[in-house]
Amino acid sequence: MSDPTGLFVAAFALTAATVFGLVRARRDGRLRDGGRRDALRLSSGELGVALGERATLVQFSTALCAACPGTRRLLAGVAAQTPGVRHVEIDAEARLDLVRRVNLMRTPTVLVLDRAGRVVRRASGAPTRADVVSAVELATAE
């Protein structure tokens, strides 16, 4: 009689990987609340450029990030079409101090800042245009 332990371990590993993949796919690129209370705030000095008059779209990228060029085009397009909104791309490899401060886990990571530099929305992964436009509206509503 053979031991079924290997079969159970394989079934468990397959189930766990499937659940992880589904959760990650559901959360990937979604702009989530940046936490209004004690919100993280970034200054123009930290970013190396002036904040947008209404909002700032901050993108953390790396050289090997496959989704970063598409995210760059998306955010630059939204910023170009929305008065007072600026897009800033930060090389995560060159700015490890800022990566640690914002608790960056992967690229692209997008932060939507209000005019005071407070993070109002955050996405890990490539966001959709609709989510970015909605986040900019939220950031500029105050």
Side-chain angles (χ1 to χ4, degrees):
M1 189 184 261
S2 65
D3 184 16
T5 304
L7 183 60
F8 288 126
V9 170
F12 176 77
L14 183 60
T15 302
T18 301
V19 169
F20 175 77
L22 291 172
V23 169
R24 182 164 178 175
R26 182 165 173 83
R27 293 185 57 148
D28 193 38
R30 301 278 191 227
L31 282 160
R32 297 179 309 277
D33 187 16
R36 292 281 183 193
R37 299 180 201 119
D38 303 328
L40 175 64
R41 186 183 297 240
L42 299 176
S43 69
S44 59
E46 290 174 300
L47 298 176
V49 297
L51 296 172
E53 294 173 14
R54 298 177 61 208
T56 305
L57 304 172
V58 180
Q59 174 186 349
F60 287 89
S61 300
T62 56
L64 298 177
C65 171
C68 290
T71 301
R72 176 185 314 115
R73 286 188 298 274
L74 170 71
L75 297 178
V78 170
Q81 295 173 353
T82 312
V85 175
R86 170 169 276 170
H87 170 236
V88 178
E89 187 171 6
I90 296 175
D91 180 359
E93 296 165 313
R95 294 296 311 273
L96 293 177
D97 59 323
L98 204 50
V99 164
R100 288 183 194 101
R101 185 157 181 264
V102 302
N103 196 26
L104 182 85
M105 301 306 260
R106 61 184 283 215
T107 57
T109 290
V110 175
L111 305 177
V112 180
L113 312 180
D114 65 10
R115 75 174 117 207
R118 286 184 305 245
V119 177
V120 296
R121 289 282 188 261
R122 175 186 185 117
S124 291
T128 65
R129 181 176 184 74
D131 282 348
V132 173
V133 169
S134 175
V136 167
E137 289 173 4
L138 176 71
T140 59
E142 298 178 358

